[in-house]
């Protein structure tokens, strides 16, 4: 069914079918389309632009060196006799190579750098030598278990690895006009299409969704319709029970029900969110109302009942999975970094499919909190899981360490972080019908497409430290600016905003810059009353930033686990932190004892709250986002 509400004949003329150097550019005409990564230039002196510079100078080179050190590249060499090293890493370790290539590709598209060209020559040449005559290339199968080729699709990740190869290849051709990896990837896709595509003798789909969105990107890039058909076929087959799920059960693989009938985010969080990104890509190209309705329900399930305040997903370490509705423990949060990244991709596609400020606002929450916290200030140490509370005696394990680490045995997150920061500019602005839409507030120079009159829009701001945003550009240009739901008193040129139903304010630029003022007062936030893990607690936010307290900032006689915050005292801004008033609990009781209404036997103190994304950079110690609060019920904070 064609979505006449979103895709209309009158809008055909405004959208080019030529793929831009940007991720997720719909080929089917749409009222919304992205800008290229080079068309939005983030200012390096501002936070997002600074993170991009750090990514280029530190994170990407670090990933490249770790691929050699961890054995990912040797795994390729050993298949063709160029190395006698033992196999190292997980069976899907090839995917980390392709994600790193994708990060390099978008960095080339962003900055035009040639720094990584020699590395690309070596690695892509290596992949080409490993590829079999029929197009197959996956080193774990080829070098360790050739008998498993296309036999155990539930676990072997063959199509998952191919998906990341395709995304890297498309990015490299779009951003650097380099097609060598694309030729390799297309041959592998053709093999999968012939083996498992429409009309093939066998039916099969991957236990780890990812190929779906990559196939749509390949269709967008090449115009070859059968790649889109293969993506749709894979989606329509899922839920038919073909996967050998074992003790994990079908929900883990999102194989419990047809995608069109699945309304709840369940199972392995990364798999669900990657699947949803691919399904939404199909909506963008095919205009399928039934699939879009399923995605709306999935979005509500994931974001209204299962998302952490930091923009993280996955409340269970077992199966790296979503929990039940409102099951959001802080200290046991799995909150895998890759799940946040997958959700950024999905939210962007949902915006392209139907518009609305909630998608850009969710991306903002994720970028500034869960994503930013996943790496340290040097850009070379990473978190795999991102808990919202670290107890002082918490044990450390490989995928949930007390401190960020340089790499992981399962290293899916570091190169994933690198590729999303490299493409960050793609999510700042877009074309929306006859307007330039602004989704993220950051210092940037934005090229206005010729269809809107050309020129450059300059956005200047110290956001999120400050809520003042100045936008200047060609006089008469129509600009749509997202108004945060937490800042309904936002003004434009001193006047109250009148937002459209989709949460954007319409501005026509003049010779004077438009001044947007977003109130940035700190605010106490409570969770839904069904989130038992945070009952009686508050979190502190300012703008899009979630704050936390760390033991390193507490006086010697105060432990962060003994703090009750006093929400009757407004937090005070002190440079880049907030000062909060609290009372400490000092009475000593056994593990259980008489009920205490509101413990007051302690002393008052002032504590420093810092942005969550900065925690763990100064010392390894206790941390918490959700803080027990005094007298919430008497003050009417909880209803």
């Amino acid at each position: 069914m064609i979505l006449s509400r979103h895709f209309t004949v009158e809008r055909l003329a405004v959208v080019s079918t030529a793929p831009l150097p940007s991720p997720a550019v719909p080929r089917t005409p749409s009222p919304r389309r992205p800008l290229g990564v080079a068309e939005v230039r983030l200012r390096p002196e501002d936070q997002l632009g600074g993170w991009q510079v750090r990514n280029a100078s530190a994170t990407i080179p670090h990933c490249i060196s770790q691929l050699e050190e961890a054995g990912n590249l040797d795994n390729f060499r050993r298949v063709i006799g160029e190395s006698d090293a033992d196999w190292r890493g997980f069976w899907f370790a090839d995917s980390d190579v392709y994600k790193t290539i994708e990060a390099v590709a978008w960095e080339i598209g962003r900055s035009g750098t040639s720094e990584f060209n020699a590395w690309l020559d070596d690695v892509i040449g290596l992949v080409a030598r490993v590829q079999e005559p029929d197009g197959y290339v996956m080193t774990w199968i080829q070098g360790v278990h050739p008998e498993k080729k296309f036999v155990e699709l539930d676990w072997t990740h063959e199509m998952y690895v191919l998906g990341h190869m395709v995304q890297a290849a498309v990015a490299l051709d779009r951003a650097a006009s380099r097609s060598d990896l694309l030729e390799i990837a297309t041959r592998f896709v053709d093999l999968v299409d012939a083996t498992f595509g429409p009309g093939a003798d066998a039916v099969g789909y991957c236990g780890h969704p990812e190929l779906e969105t990559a196939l749509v990107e390949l269709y967008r890039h090449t115009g070859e319709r059968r790649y889109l058909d293969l993506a749709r076929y894979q989606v329509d087959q899922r839920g038919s029970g073909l996967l050998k799920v074992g003790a994990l059960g079908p929900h883990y693989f999102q194989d419990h029900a047809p995608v069109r009938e699945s309304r709840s985010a369940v199972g392995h969080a990364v798999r669900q969110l990657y699947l949803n990104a691919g399904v939404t890509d199909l909506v963008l190209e095919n205009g399928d109302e039934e699939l879009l309705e399923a995605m709306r329900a999935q979005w509500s399930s994931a974001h209204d009942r299962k998302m952490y305040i930091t923009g993280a997903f996955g409340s269970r370490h077992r199966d790296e999975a979503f929990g039940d509705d409102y099951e959001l423990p802080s200290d046991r949060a799995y909150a895998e970094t890759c799940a946040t990244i997958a959700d950024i991709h999905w939210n962007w596609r949902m915006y392209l499919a139907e518009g609305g400020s909630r998608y850009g606002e969710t991306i903002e929450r994720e970028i500034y909190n869960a994503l930013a916290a996943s790496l340290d200030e040097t850009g070379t140490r990473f978190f795999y899981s991102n808990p919202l509370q670290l107890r002082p005696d918490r044990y450390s394990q490989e995928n949930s360490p007390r401190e960020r680490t340089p790499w992981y045995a399962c290293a899916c997150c570091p190169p994933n972080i690198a590729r999303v920061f490299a493409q960050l500019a793609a999510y700042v602005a877009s074309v929306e019908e006859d307007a330039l839409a602004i989704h993220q507030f950051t210092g940037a120079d934005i090229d206005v497409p010729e269809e809107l009159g050309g020129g450059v829009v300059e956005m200047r701001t110290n956001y999120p430290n400050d809520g003042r945003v100045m936008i200047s550009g060609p006089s008469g240009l129509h600009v749509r600016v997202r108004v945060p739901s937490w800042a309904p008193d936002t003004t434009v040129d001193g006047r109250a905003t009148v937002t459209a139903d989709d949460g954007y304010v319409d501005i026509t630029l003049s010779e004077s810059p438009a001044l947007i003022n977003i109130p940035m007062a700190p605010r106490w936030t409570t969770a839904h009353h069904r989130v038992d893990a945070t009952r009686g607690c508050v979190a502190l936010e300012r703008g899009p930033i979630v704050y936390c307290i760390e033991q390193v900032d507490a006086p010697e006689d105060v432990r962060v686990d003994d703090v009750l915050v006093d929400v009757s005292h407004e937090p005070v801004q002190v440079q880049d932190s907030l000062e909060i008033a609290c009372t400490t609990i000092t009475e000593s009781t056994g593990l259980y004892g008489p009920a205490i209404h509101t413990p007051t036997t302690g002393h008052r103190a002032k504590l420093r709250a810092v942005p969550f994304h900065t925690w763990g950079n100064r010392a390894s110690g206790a941390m918490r986002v959700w803080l027990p609060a005094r007298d919430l019920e008497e003050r009417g904070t909880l209803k």
Side-chain angles (χ1 to χ4, degrees):
M1 182 184 300
I2 300 298
L3 300 179
S4 58
R5 293 189 311 154
H6 307 296
F7 300 84
T8 63
V9 174
E10 291 77 15
R11 294 169 180 156
L12 294 182
V14 304
V15 178
S16 169
T17 58
L20 289 168
S22 185
V25 182
R27 193 175 186 91
T28 299
S30 165
R32 289 164 290 277
R33 74 162 175 82
L35 298 174
V37 292
E39 293 179 285
V40 182
R41 295 172 295 283
L42 305 186
R43 290 166 60 86
E45 58 266 39
D46 295 325
Q47 194 159 63
L48 295 190
W51 286 345
Q52 275 203 321
V53 170
R54 180 185 65 187
N55 187 62
S57 63
T59 306
I60 292 176
H62 178 79
C63 288
I64 288 174
S65 67
Q66 288 295 316
L67 290 175
E68 196 68 72
E69 185 175 329
N72 299 64
L73 295 177
D74 257 355
N75 291 340
F76 282 85
R77 297 184 187 109
R78 70 187 300 276
V79 172
I80 52 178
E82 295 181 8
S83 172
D84 57 3
D86 292 334
W87 170 270
R88 286 184 285 170
F90 278 74
W91 56 95
F92 44 84
D94 294 2
S95 63
D96 299 329
V97 175
Y98 302 133
K99 279 182 278 189
T100 303
I101 293 175
E102 186 181 354
V104 168
W106 294 128
E107 180 55 32
I108 293 172
R110 182 189 78 88
S111 65
T113 182
S114 59
E115 177 184 352
F116 306 106
N117 287 359
W119 180 79
L120 288 172
D121 291 342
D122 290 344
V123 173
I124 296 173
L126 178 59
V127 176
R129 295 194 299 278
V130 170
Q131 187 169 39
E132 296 177 355
D134 64 358
Y136 189 91
V137 52
M138 182 176 170
T139 62
W140 184 75
I141 295 290
Q142 293 170 280
V144 182
H145 286 290
E147 77 281 0
K148 293 181 182 290
K149 182 177 179 180
F150 289 149
V151 173
E152 298 178 2
L153 294 180
D154 43 348
W155 282 116
T156 52
H157 285 59
E158 288 155 284
M159 297 186 195
Y160 166 83
V161 170
L162 172 58
H164 281 300
M165 177 197 283
V166 168
Q167 287 182 308
V170 168
L172 198 58
D173 200 30
R174 284 186 184 172
S177 299
R178 181 168 181 161
S179 63
D180 45 356
L181 185 61
L182 184 65
E183 294 168 3
I184 296 169
T186 301
R187 291 181 60 207
F188 195 174
V189 171
D190 289 344
L191 173 64
V192 170
D193 187 34
T195 307
F196 298 109
D201 293 336
V203 177
Y205 45 90
C206 191
H208 196 310
E210 213 285 329
L211 179 60
E212 298 82 357
T213 192
L215 288 171
V216 178
E217 282 299 287
L218 187 59
Y219 156 72
R220 289 166 174 163
H221 191 66
T222 64
E224 181 60 60
R225 181 80 190 186
R226 63 191 175 89
Y227 299 141
L228 182 65
D229 293 340
L230 178 58
R232 184 185 182 105
Y233 188 67
Q234 294 271 304
V235 167
D236 286 342
Q237 292 299 313
R238 186 168 294 274
S240 56
L242 290 178
L243 297 177
K244 302 172 185 177
V245 298
L248 291 171
H251 288 77
Y252 174 87
F253 298 94
Q254 293 77 45
D255 200 35
H256 60 291
V259 171
R260 297 169 187 274
E261 299 173 13
S262 182
R263 295 294 189 266
S264 297
V266 298
H268 189 282
V270 178
R271 297 175 195 229
Q272 178 73 79
L273 295 168
Y274 272 149
L275 175 63
N276 290 356
V279 171
T280 308
D281 275 322
L282 286 174
V283 170
L284 285 164
E285 301 301 342
N286 289 327
D288 192 316
E289 180 69 41
E290 190 176 31
L291 282 179
L292 181 57
E293 284 299 326
M295 290 299 96
R296 289 178 181 138
Q298 281 273 345
W299 196 93
S300 179
S301 170
H303 299 86
D304 295 338
R305 300 187 292 281
K306 297 185 179 184
M307 181 180 75
Y308 283 96
I309 192 173
T310 56
F313 299 87
S315 58
R316 296 181 181 178
H317 283 240
R318 185 183 186 276
D319 304 344
E320 303 178 301
F322 287 106
D324 297 330
D325 287 354
Y326 307 109
E327 181 189 341
L328 294 167
S330 293
D331 54 343
R332 292 296 297 160
Y334 196 65
E336 184 182 342
T337 299
C338 284
T340 291
I341 290 171
D343 197 62
I344 290 172
H345 294 160
W346 181 31
N347 271 276
W348 184 240
R349 289 156 174 79
M350 287 297 289
Y351 162 75
L352 294 174
E354 63 176 6
S357 62
R358 66 179 182 173
Y359 303 121
E361 186 164 315
T362 300
I363 290 172
E364 177 183 66
R365 178 177 294 277
E366 293 167 336
I367 288 173
Y368 281 108
N369 297 293
L371 177 63
S374 67
L375 73 169
D376 74 348
E377 57 192 12
T378 72
T380 61
R381 297 175 66 85
F382 311 90
F383 275 140
Y384 189 107
S385 61
N386 295 274
L388 283 72
Q389 179 181 354
L390 183 70
R391 295 185 182 276
D393 56 347
R394 173 181 157 176
Y395 64 89
S396 184
Q397 57 182 336
E398 213 272 335
N399 285 345
S400 56
R402 291 182 59 86
E403 301 178 42
R404 298 173 182 86
T405 67
W407 205 245
Y408 291 87
C410 178
C412 54
C413 296
N416 221 0
I417 294 166
R419 71 170 180 145
V420 77
F421 274 116
Q423 63 185 238
L424 202 57
Y427 307 117
V428 170
S430 65
V431 174
E432 185 167 326
E433 296 187 344
D434 62 347
L436 182 73
I438 305 293
H439 312 294
Q440 305 302 331
F441 307 109
T442 187
D445 296 322
I446 305 169
D447 291 339
V448 180
E450 290 300 322
E451 69 210 46
L452 299 182
V456 176
V457 163
E458 296 180 352
M459 181 161 46
R460 299 293 182 264
T461 181
N462 191 30
Y463 190 88
N465 298 317
D466 187 286
R468 289 166 54 88
V469 182
M470 293 181 60
I471 299 177
S472 59
S475 184
L477 177 67
H478 182 197
V479 178
R480 308 198 73 227
V481 177
R482 178 178 61 85
V483 176
S485 64
W486 42 262
D489 296 332
T490 294
T491 61
V492 177
D493 294 331
R495 297 185 297 273
T497 57
V498 178
T499 58
D501 291 341
D502 63 358
Y504 285 76
V505 61
D506 293 287
I507 302 171
T508 300
L509 297 184
S510 62
E511 294 181 359
S512 300
L515 176 58
I516 301 163
N517 193 1
I518 305 170
M520 300 288 284
R523 61 191 187 276
W524 294 110
T525 301
T526 58
H528 191 283
H529 67 275
R530 293 180 185 171
V531 183
D532 289 317
T534 60
R535 196 183 296 270
C537 295
V538 293
L540 181 60
E541 298 181 272
R542 180 179 180 271
I545 304 295
V546 174
Y547 284 73
C548 67
I549 61 173
E550 291 188 86
Q551 189 63 50
V552 68
D553 292 314
E556 291 186 4
D557 59 344
V558 174
R559 296 181 58 176
V560 298
D561 284 352
D562 295 335
V563 165
L564 285 174
V565 297
D566 190 341
V567 295
S568 66
H569 289 258
E570 296 296 328
V572 177
Q573 185 77 37
V574 181
Q575 296 181 337
D576 60 349
S577 62
L578 296 173
E579 186 179 80
I580 59 176
C582 65
T583 300
T584 63
I585 305 171
T586 59
E587 64 260 28
S588 177
T589 63
L591 182 59
Y592 305 103
I596 302 174
H597 176 60
T598 303
T600 56
T601 56
H603 61 273
R604 295 190 179 277
K606 299 287 187 181
L607 281 186
R608 180 189 183 199
V610 298
F612 171 74
H613 71 79
T614 68
W615 86 274
N617 277 290
R618 295 167 295 157
S620 175
M623 176 278 297
R624 59 188 303 153
V625 169
W626 289 99
L627 310 173
R630 297 186 58 182
D631 306 325
L632 276 183
E633 295 188 8
E634 284 96 339
R635 298 183 71 250
T637 306
L638 296 180
K639 303 298 183 184

